[in-house]
C-alpha cells in the first residue's frame, strides 16, 4: 500500500503571464527527467481553473492545440514518476478540486509520511478518495477546512502533515509554493521579466529564460499574486535544512544549481572524494552514462587516469529504473547500454556509477565489459551503500530489493561480478557537496522526519 503513495516528481508555477500555459509546458520539458509517467497543466482564467493532463511524456500529453486552449494568466504544471501499482490516469496531476472556499489545483513532489493515517481518518469522516496519491489527502484537508481562504486552508493542511515535499497550488489569487520543514525536496523561486515563478529545479527557469532569485526556504510557504508580488505566508527556516543528498547524487539535472551551487560540480567533487577514499588499480575510468559522467570525470582527474567513452547509451530507451517489474528492468539495461570494445580490450577498467540500488545496472555492465575484453573490472560507487528505503519521495521501493542491504561488501562484489567494489562514505558526501547537512537516510537509516511503522 505504501508503495502506491510514493512518488518523485517535478513541479512548476508562474503568474502574470498571458502565455502561462506555454511557459509551463516549456518548463515541464526541462523537468522531464523528474517524471515520465504523466504530465499536466492547470491554468487560471478569469477566476476559473482549467486543466489538461494525461499519461506519458510531456510531448505526448501536450499537442500545440492543447497548450493554446489553456488560456490564462497563471498556471501550475507537474510531471509525475510513480512506483508499482500507482500507474493510473487518475493519479496524474495537478489535482483539480472545487471546494467551498473556491476552486484550486494542486501539484506535488515528494511523499507525506503520515498520509495513510490522515487518509484513514478522512475516510472515516466520509471523504471519498478518487486517487491513491497523498496529494489528495492535502486536497481533502483543504476542502474540509474551517479557515476563511484557500491560502489559509493550505497552510493549515500542511501543519497537520509531515514528510518530504514541494507543492505548487493554483488558486483564484495566484500560485502558492511550499517546501517541507527540512527542505528535503527542492523548490526555487525565479523571475521572468518581473513576474515570479517557482520550479523544482533551476533548469526549468533557464528553459523559459527566467532569472534565479532564491531557494524557497525549508518550511516556507510563498504566494505569487497575479500582479507579480511575492508574499511569504509562512516563513521558512534554513538552519536545519536537510536537502535530499540523492538530488545532488543522481536525481537533479547536472545543469541545475542548488543554493547557487552547480550540480555538475558537486557530482565532480563526489567523484574526486571517491578517488581519495577508494583509488582503484586501473588503466581507464568509465562512467555509466549519463548521470555518472561528472563523478567519473572527478575520479579520473584526482588519480590522473584517462576517462574514456567506453559505454554508449541509447537515448531512445526510457530510464530503466522506471519499469515496475524486474525482468523488464533487466532488458531495459541491455537495450540501453553498449560497450566500445576498443576502449576496454586488454585493460583494467574502473567503472563509476552514482549509485547501486537494485544492482541491475552493474550486474549487466560488468558482464558486458568482460565480454568485450576487459581484464579487470573495479566498481566504484559515488554514494554510500543504499541500505534503507526512502520515505520522502524517491522511488527506491522496499528494503528487500536493495542489493546493498542484502549482502556484505565482499558478497556484493561477487553478486555484481566485480574484481573490487567500494562506496563513498556518508561523510565523503558532505565533504564533496560542502553543505552542513543533508538527508542521508537511505544510507544511514537516520530519518529526519520519523516514519511510523504503520506507514512503512
Ligand atoms: P540499480 O541498477 O537498481 O542498481 O540502480 C542504480 C542505477 O540506476 C544507477 O545507474 C543510477 O544512475 C540509476 N538510479 C538510481 N536511483 C534512481 C532512481 N530513483 N530513479 C531512476 N534511476 C535511478
Ligand atoms: Fe533522498 Fe535518501 Fe533522504 Fe530519500 S532517504 S530523501 S533518497 S537522501
Amino acid at each position: 500500500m505504501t508503495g502506491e503513495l510514493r512518488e518523485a516528481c517535478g513541479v512548476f508555477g508562474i503568474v502574470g503571464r498571458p502565455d502561462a500555459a506555454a511557459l509551463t509546458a516549456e518548463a515541464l520539458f526541462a523537468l522531464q527527467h523528474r517524471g515520465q509517467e504523466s504530465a499536466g497543466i492547470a491554468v487560471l482564467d478569469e477566476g476559473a481553473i482549467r486543466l489538461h493532463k494525461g499519461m506519458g511524456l510531456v510531448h505526448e500529453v501536450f499537442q500545440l492545440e492543447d497548450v493554446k486552449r489553456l488560456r490564462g494568466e497563471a498556471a501550475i504544471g507537474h510531471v509525475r514518476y510513480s512506483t508499482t501499482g500507482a500507474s493510473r490516469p487518475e493519479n496524474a496531476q495537478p489535482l483539480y478540486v472545487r471546494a467551498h472556499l473556491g476552486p484550486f489545483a494542486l501539484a506535488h513532489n515528494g511523499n507525506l509520511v503520515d498520509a495513510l493515517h490522515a487518509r484513514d481518518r478522512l475516510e472515516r469522516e466520509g471523504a471519498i478518495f478518487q486517487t491513491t496519491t497523498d496529494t489528495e489527502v492535502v486536497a481533502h484537508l483543504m476542502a474540509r477546512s474551517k479557515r476563511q481562504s484557500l491560502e489559509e486552508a493550505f497552510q493549515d493542511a500542511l501543519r497537520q502533515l509531515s514528510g518530504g515535499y514541494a507543492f505548487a497550488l493554483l488558486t483564484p489569487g495566484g500560485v502558492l509554493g511550499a517546501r517541507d520543514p527540512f527542505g528535503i525536496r527542492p523548490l526555487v523561486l525565479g523571475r521572468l521579466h518581473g513576474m515570479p515563478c517557482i520550479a523544482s529545479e533551476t533548469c526549468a527557469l533557464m528553459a523559459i529564460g527566467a532569472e534565479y532569485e532564491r531557494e524557497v526556504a525549508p518550511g516556507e510557504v510563498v504566494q505569487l499574486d497575479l500582479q507579480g508580488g511575492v508574499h511569504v505566508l509562512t516563513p521558512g527556516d534554513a538552519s536545519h535544512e536537510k536537502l535530499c543528498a540523492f538530488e545532488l547524487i543522481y536525481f537533479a539535472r547536472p545543469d541545475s544549481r542548488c543554493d547557487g551551487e552547480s550540480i555538475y560540480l558537486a557530482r565532480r567533487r563526489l567523484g574526486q572524494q571517491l578517488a581519495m577514499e577508494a583509488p582503484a588499480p586501473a588503466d581507464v575510468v568509465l562512467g555509466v552514462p549519463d548521470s555518472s559522467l561528472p563523478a567519473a570525470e572527478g575520479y579520473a582527474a584526482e588519480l590522473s587516469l584517462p576517462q574514456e567513452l567506453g559505454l554508449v547509451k541509447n537515448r531512445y530507451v526510457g530510464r530503466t529504473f522506471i519499469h515496475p517489474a524486474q525482468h523488464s528492468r533487466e532488458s531495459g539495461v541491455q537495450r540501453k547500454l553498449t560497450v566500445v570494445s576498443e576502449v576496454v580490450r586488454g585493460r583494467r577498467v574502473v567503472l563509476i556509477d552514482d549509485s547501486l540500488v537494485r544492482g541491475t545496472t552493474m550486474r549487466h555492465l560488468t558482464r558486458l565489459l568482460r565480454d568485450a575484453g576487459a581484464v579487470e573490472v573495479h566498481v566504484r560507487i559515488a554514494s554510500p551503500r543504499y541500505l534503507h528505503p526512502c520515505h520522502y519521495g524517491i522511488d527506491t521501493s522496499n528494503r528487500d530489493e536493495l542489493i546493498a542491504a542484502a549482502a556484505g561488501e565482499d558478497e556484493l562484489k561477487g553478486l555484481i561480478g566485480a574484481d573490487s567494489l567500494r562506496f563513498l562514505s556518508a561523510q565523503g558526501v558532505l565533504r564533496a557537496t560542502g553543505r552542513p547537512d543533508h538527508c542521508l537516510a537511505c544510507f544511514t537509516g537516520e530519518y529526519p522526519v520519523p516514519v511510523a511503522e504503520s506507514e512503512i
Side-chain angles (χ1 to χ4, degrees):
M1 181 71 198
T2 37
E4 295 198 356
L5 292 176
R6 218 167 281 150
E7 59 202 42
C9 312
V11 297
F12 179 81
I14 190 160
V15 295
R17 294 281 312 199
D19 53 350
L23 290 167
T24 304
E26 208 58 62
L28 293 185
F29 278 120
L31 295 173
Q32 185 78 82
H33 62 290
R34 298 186 69 87
Q36 299 93 34
E37 186 186 273
S38 68
I41 296 177
V43 288
L44 177 72
D45 187 16
E46 295 177 4
I49 288 179
R50 268 180 288 123
L51 181 69
H52 181 87
K53 61 182 178 179
M55 302 300 283
L57 299 170
V58 179
H59 76 89
E60 293 166 331
V61 175
F62 289 96
Q63 309 302 315
L64 193 58
E65 283 312 307
D66 302 318
V67 178
K68 276 192 188 152
R69 260 199 306 275
L70 288 173
R71 221 164 10 91
E73 65 270 29
I76 61 168
H78 188 260
V79 283
R80 177 159 200 271
Y81 168 128
S82 81
T83 59
T84 312
S87 185
R88 306 175 187 163
E90 63 267 27
N91 284 350
Q93 294 189 24
L95 202 68
Y96 171 66
V97 179
R98 268 152 62 111
H100 68 284
L101 291 169
F104 66 88
L106 189 59
H108 168 215
N109 165 214
N111 188 53
L112 301 169
V113 294
D114 41 11
L116 287 179
H117 257 111
R119 188 183 172 114
D120 279 354
R121 181 169 54 81
L122 284 161
E123 279 177 337
R124 276 198 305 276
E125 290 168 7
I128 296 169
F129 279 76
Q130 317 279 334
T131 76
T132 58
T133 65
D134 40 2
T135 319
E136 197 181 347
V137 172
V138 179
H140 276 286
L141 288 172
M142 286 176 67
R144 288 163 171 253
S145 175
K146 305 254 182 318
R147 303 281 169 161
Q148 299 304 307
S149 68
L150 286 170
E151 288 72 19
E152 286 174 37
F154 178 53
Q155 293 172 83
D156 202 31
L158 293 184
R159 278 192 287 271
Q160 298 173 56
L161 296 161
S162 50
Y165 56 77
F167 277 99
L169 170 70
L170 182 66
T171 74
V175 168
L176 271 71
R179 204 165 160 211
D180 65 85
F182 287 103
I184 294 172
R185 299 268 71 88
L187 190 67
V188 296
L189 197 58
R191 241 174 233 279
L192 178 64
H193 306 309
M195 287 300 158
C197 52
I198 48 169
S200 290
E201 283 184 42
T202 61
C203 63
L205 304 182
M206 278 194 302
I208 60 163
E211 300 278 324
Y212 164 80
E213 199 158 288
R214 66 174 177 87
E215 309 290 306
V216 173
E220 184 176 0
V221 180
V222 287
Q223 183 190 24
L224 323 182
D225 71 31
L226 297 177
Q227 287 69 48
V230 175
H231 312 277
V232 175
L233 303 187
T234 306
D237 177 2
S239 66
H240 42 244
E241 171 160 349
K242 286 184 184 289
L243 174 70
C244 165
F246 224 66
E247 289 278 350
L248 286 98
I249 291 166
Y250 167 79
F251 213 52
R253 239 171 66 166
D255 54 342
S256 281
R257 303 172 82 82
C258 239
D259 269 330
E261 173 67 43
S262 149
I263 298 283
Y264 162 72
L265 289 179
R267 285 192 189 147
R268 212 172 178 279
R269 286 197 306 272
L270 286 165
Q272 282 173 306
Q273 182 66 30
L274 178 63
M276 286 184 248
E277 293 184 13
D283 306 307
V284 64
V285 180
L286 307 188
V288 179
D290 296 319
S291 55
S292 304
L293 296 178
E297 234 179 85
Y299 190 93
E302 186 63 29
L303 298 178
S304 303
L305 287 171
Q307 180 202 3
E308 295 179 23
L309 184 77
L311 291 169
V312 175
K313 181 172 166 181
N314 179 342
R315 278 166 219 293
Y316 304 98
V317 180
R319 281 192 170 191
T320 52
F321 211 88
I322 63 172
H323 294 290
Q326 183 66 15
H327 70 273
S328 58
R329 252 185 236 121
E330 300 270 3
S331 56
V333 178
Q334 265 158 40
R335 266 183 270 128
K336 201 160 113 175
L337 292 165
T338 47
V339 177
V340 181
S341 51
E342 289 70 18
V343 173
V344 304
R345 194 176 304 126
R347 292 170 101 185
R348 298 170 303 165
V349 170
V350 54
L351 180 58
I352 312 290
D353 205 351
D354 51 69
S355 54
L356 185 73
V357 182
R358 298 178 180 94
T360 320
T361 311
M362 265 310 154
R363 256 199 308 262
H364 174 65
L365 287 183
T366 54
R367 203 173 48 232
L368 272 190
L369 290 170
R370 286 188 205 284
D371 289 350
V375 289
E376 287 175 23
V377 182
H378 301 275
V379 172
R380 296 293 180 269
I381 306 291
S383 60
R385 289 178 64 185
Y386 204 115
L387 298 169
H388 309 274
C390 173
H391 298 291
Y392 311 134
I394 298 269
D395 166 23
T396 40
S397 78
N398 53 45
R399 202 166 191 277
D400 308 343
E401 287 184 1
L402 302 175
I403 191 171
E409 210 157 296
D410 244 16
E411 201 183 331
L412 265 185
K413 186 181 78 175
L415 283 176
I416 63 163
D419 290 287
S420 75
L421 166 68
R422 299 280 298 279
F423 294 83
L424 182 61
S425 67
Q427 273 313 314
V429 174
L430 293 176
R431 225 165 277 141
T433 65
R435 296 168 77 101
D437 214 349
H438 273 298
C439 174
L440 291 161
C442 46
F443 310 120
T444 62
E446 288 164 29
Y447 290 95
V449 182
V451 185
E453 268 306 305
S454 56
E455 298 278 343
I456 294 175

